[in-house]
């Protein structure tokens, strides 16, 4: 039953539900054909997209958007072609819809099977990242979902052009044009209505800043999958291999510091601090990383600036790192328990008991031994496409691929059975 | 990171988190030992439980609780022994914690595996059903979760005694006493705080009336699994077998009319109405079912009272049934789409194409062919224990057993790998 007080966006939501019914039973081949159409349209429309994007970039620059924000907002021909490539990759992935998850024959002969089905209507609220428009639309389409997008005012011109192109390609493939829709023209009130659209929207996914995610989680009455921040830790245990410590810490922090799986806090066992920290921190400093150390770190590496309480809870998303010496594995786990956002933590160790304890006791979406935190990623995990990385425990945890955009239903086949 | 404004219940939530950490790594054998202890304590404490329950029943009767509510509130020696039996059955179920859901070796040699872990802290809000206290506590314990219960004022005396017995048995098994806690003594403000306890409570499960569930869903900022109402349909298709139609409709409506998988609306193809309805409805009437029919039903079966628009959306939970004649499968599906709560729908047919269309196009937790709707049940599905039946699409859909009370985490094992 439908329950909503959203007068403005109701027609869009109703169109989305109707489209979702068609998409739920659309064969994979037809969905792939639409994806090929989308990729072709994107490549053929580079000039149009770049022109619309230039408008958004000009407004953003005049409005004082940060360099990082402007970079995420920007689409050039190379990026547009990469988006088209990603859409083609999604067309190659296995369709999750129809997968039989489990099943059995009951003692009375009734056969039950749990089968993957699309959610139906997926809402996405994001900020100033027009690439998300194409990525999410393609992933939703492949998984049989209609999608309602709220991409924010900063990317409004770009998103309008992109949604128009997506809709044309979808319509040409014979699928409902309302498979992909935007509510950007309704502004913030539209976003609020989307969060309250119980019965219309099956799941809402926020992607963006911690503030955006927090707002969606607290204001929504529809189910939300939270893609959260990453205050990511590495613990260098007493027995950590020297070269692994140097390489993994550097890779985790420096390879792409602006993303959620990048390292933010390094913990070192006191018995290994003297052996490891000078080389580990020197290599980071060479790459321009500003180090915030506690007292014991600064004894070994005086160039570090003093760490404050705030540093332990900070997701820098840039070339900064908090570093602390701890007395034991227990103290490392306690520190992580207190400050981690539950995204990714890694231990570098040669001690099998400590490795197992770390894996068992650290409660994060991904827990690692002797590997870079940068591996928590749908592409690296072999999912092909990534909706985001969930830091909640309900439904999806860690990198989300196509199956995470589906629900299931139980198919029950009898021959007249009744319950005794 | 913890985020909450719940000053009153904070100590309880913190104790629950601490207990959850222990439970997460507690071996199955020890959890089963605690379950055996609980079963033994329940059987040994029948007099004490019945006495506390008598207080609640007296207050309830004086306060004008309905007969149905008083029945659900009531615990007698037979029911208490049945609860103890159920706890022992849960001890026999496979522990979901540690199950490897999937895994692979990445091209770089990194090995990843997705492993079931407990949620952590499970909140449950329910009303006047003390059996839920024991059921949920046992299921939560077996799946490695700490549980915080809000059982409502009507069952307050019974629940206080039950929680005390549960805690004693848990403590005697060497597990944390805070594995099971109640916040009943904080009244409604405590319930509100529980719904807002982000960072403390990993999932909240409401069980009870539609009003209770609606309140929890709209007020909660923690993730919720909705166990919703069932406006359950059967469609008698043109080719429906006569005896199956009579038996399945009767069983679905009459076998236990007060539960969510009981039939509430019967739809009949017009070409089968004359053949089937007289016998189907007569058998229902014999069992005391009040029939609400549309005009075409009343032409065939004049004893039916006229159905109103409201009837189609009503979950009677008693011996009443709405009945309509439809022109086609499409009209039946459209009716279900409009009025169903997405719980269970069944088609009685011998037409394979219609059966497949019904299974594919009806968007409910359980869709059936030629079987009683009463089969949507954790016990019938072989899950052993049931937390409830989810009518949402996120995380769990349909009957929820032990695995539905778990999340997963990714275990990543490397040997120095970094991302290129």
């Amino acid at each position: 039953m439908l329950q909503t007080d959203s007068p403005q966006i109701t027609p869009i939501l109703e169109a989305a539900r109707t489209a979702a019914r068609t998409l739920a039973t659309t064969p994979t081949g037809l969905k792939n054909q639409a994806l090929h159409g989308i990729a072709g349209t994107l490549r053929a429309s580079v000039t149009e997209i770049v022109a619309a994007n230039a408008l958004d970039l000009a407004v953003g620059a005049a409005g004082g958007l940060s360099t990082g924000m402007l970079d995420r907002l920007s689409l050039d021909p190379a990026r547009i072609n990469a988006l088209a490539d990603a859409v083609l990759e999604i067309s190659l992935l296995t369709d999750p819809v129809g997968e039989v998850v489990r099943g059995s024959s009951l003692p009375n002969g009734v056969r039950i099977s749990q089968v993957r089905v699309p959610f139906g209507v997926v809402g996405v609220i994001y900020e100033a990242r027009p690439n998300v428009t194409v990525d999410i639309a393609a992933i939703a389409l492949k998984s049989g979902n209609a999608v309602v997008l709220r991409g924010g005012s900063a990317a409004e011109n770009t998103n309008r052009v992109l949604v128009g192109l997506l809709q044309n390609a979808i319509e040409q493939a014979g699928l409902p044009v309302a498979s992909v829709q935007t509510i950007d023209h309704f502004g913030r009130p539209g976003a609020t209505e989307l969060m309250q659209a119980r019965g219309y929207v099956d799941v809402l996914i926020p992607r963006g800043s911690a503030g955006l995610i927090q707002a969606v989680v607290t204001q929504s009455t529809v189910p939300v999958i939270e893609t959260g921040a990453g205050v990511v830790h590495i613990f260098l245990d007493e027995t950590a291999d020297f070269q692994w410590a140097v390489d993994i810490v550097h890779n985790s922090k420096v390879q792409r510091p602006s993303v959620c799986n990048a390292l933010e806090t390094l913990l070192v066992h006191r018995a290994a601090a003297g052996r490891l920290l000078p080389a580990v921190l020197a290599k980071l400093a060479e790459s321009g990383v500003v180090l915030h150390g506690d007292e014991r770190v600064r004894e070994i590496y005086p160039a570090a600036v003093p760490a404050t309480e705030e540093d332990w809870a900070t997701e820098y998303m840039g070339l900064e790192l908090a570093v602390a010496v701890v007395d034991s594995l227990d103290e490392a786990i306690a520190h992580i328990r207190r400050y981690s956002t539950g995204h990714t933590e890694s231990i570098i160790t040669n001690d099998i008991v400590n490795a197992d304890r770390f894996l068992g006791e650290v409660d994060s979406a991904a827990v690692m031994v002797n590997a870079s935190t940068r591996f928590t990623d749908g592409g690296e995990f072999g999912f092909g496409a990534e909706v985001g990385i969930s830091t909640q425990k309900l439904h999806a945890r860690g990198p989300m691929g196509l199956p995470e955009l589906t629900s299931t239903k139980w198919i029950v086949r009898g021959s007249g059975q009744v319950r005794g």
Side-chain angles (χ1 to χ4, degrees), chain A:
Chain A
M1 246 175 308
L2 305 180
Q3 314 160 326
T4 179
D5 307 310
S6 12
Q8 276 204 85
I9 67 167
T10 300
I12 284 180
L13 297 176
E14 282 179 348
R17 288 218 77 77
T18 306
R21 286 201 285 272
T22 301
L23 290 174
T25 54
T26 296
T28 309
L30 193 51
K31 293 188 285 191
N32 287 342
Q33 197 180 311
L35 292 172
H36 279 264
I38 288 169
T41 302
L42 289 173
R43 290 197 217 280
S45 311
V46 165
T47 314
E48 190 186 347
I49 299 167
V50 168
N53 191 241
L55 289 177
D56 286 330
L57 288 171
V59 173
L65 281 191
S66 70
T67 317
M69 286 279 273
L70 287 171
D71 179 55
R72 283 201 289 277
L73 181 56
S74 165
L75 286 184
D76 58 24
R79 286 186 176 182
I80 295 165
N81 277 301
L83 277 175
D85 290 344
V87 172
L88 291 184
E89 270 176 47
I90 290 165
S91 77
L92 298 174
L93 296 175
T94 302
D95 189 340
V97 176
E99 183 198 340
V100 179
V101 178
R102 53 179 167 160
S104 62
S105 285
L106 306 185
N108 57 13
V110 167
R111 292 158 288 147
I112 66 172
S113 56
Q114 188 182 30
V115 176
R116 278 201 192 285
V117 295
F119 269 124
V121 176
V122 175
V124 187
I125 298 185
Y126 54 110
E127 293 171 321
R129 300 190 72 155
N131 62 307
V132 172
T133 306
V134 176
D135 278 346
I136 291 273
I139 292 170
L141 189 64
K142 179 77 185 220
S143 53
N145 294 289
V147 70
V148 178
L149 303 166
R150 153 70 184 172
S153 52
E156 199 169 349
N157 291 294
T158 316
N159 283 338
R160 189 169 48 240
V161 168
L162 289 174
V163 169
L165 294 170
L166 291 164
Q167 289 181 329
N168 282 345
I170 288 166
E171 202 168 21
Q172 273 177 27
L175 291 178
V177 68
S179 301
V180 177
Q181 296 178 95
T182 174
I183 55 163
D184 275 351
H185 47 299
F186 293 109
R188 276 172 189 271
T192 305
E193 288 176 8
L194 189 65
M195 293 188 247
Q196 304 288 332
R198 280 184 67 74
Y200 281 110
V201 175
D202 295 294
V203 63
L204 186 58
I205 302 173
R207 283 191 63 177
S209 65
L212 172 91
I213 291 163
Q214 183 69 12
V216 171
V217 164
T218 52
Q219 289 173 44
S220 286
T221 59
V222 303
V224 169
I225 299 179
E226 191 177 342
T227 59
V231 176
V232 168
H233 296 76
I234 288 180
F235 172 53
L236 302 178
D237 194 17
E238 192 173 348
T239 60
D241 179 90
F242 177 84
Q243 201 56 49
W244 290 2
V246 170
D247 292 345
I248 290 174
V249 169
H250 186 265
N251 184 260
S252 298
K253 178 73 251 182
V254 172
Q255 200 237 357
R256 199 171 172 204
S258 67
V259 293
C260 58
N261 59 18
L263 178 66
E264 305 293 4
T265 296
L266 176 66
L267 305 172
V268 192
H269 194 288
R270 66 174 167 163
R275 176 172 66 92
L276 300 174
L277 274 188
V280 166
L281 299 186
K283 182 158 180 184
L284 291 168
E286 267 172 41
S287 296
V289 176
V290 175
L291 300 163
H292 303 255
D294 70 1
E295 256 179 51
R296 287 191 283 184
V297 169
R298 296 181 67 238
E299 279 168 23
I300 295 166
Y301 195 85
V305 300
T308 64
E309 172 64 22
E310 207 190 332
D311 282 309
W312 311 122
T314 298
E315 186 182 22
Y316 297 112
M317 307 206 88
L319 290 173
E320 294 187 70
L321 182 70
V323 189
V325 171
V326 293
D327 288 336
S328 62
L329 172 63
D330 283 303
E331 196 182 321
I333 292 174
H335 181 107
I336 290 169
R337 194 166 282 156
R338 180 156 178 202
Y339 295 106
S340 169
T341 54
H343 189 296
T344 300
E345 334 293 339
S346 187
I347 183 174
I348 315 301
T349 189
N350 194 36
D351 184 309
I352 206 166
V353 172
N354 286 0
D356 283 346
R357 277 199 57 203
F358 191 89
L359 295 176
E361 295 178 30
V362 172
D363 186 24
S364 297
V367 284
M368 304 183 166
V369 179
N370 296 330
S372 169
T373 61
R374 291 276 297 121
F375 286 121
T376 305
D377 175 88
E380 294 292 319
F381 276 18
F383 298 172
E386 184 181 285
V387 183
I389 295 175
S390 166
T391 52
Q392 72 178 31
K393 294 186 186 172
L394 202 70
H395 186 75
R397 197 176 190 202
M400 293 188 283
L402 291 175
E404 280 72 27
L405 270 196
T406 64
S407 181
T408 56
K409 72 180 179 191
W410 285 96
I411 305 281
V412 178
R413 294 172 191 271
S415 46
Q417 286 89 343
V418 297
R419 191 160 161 189

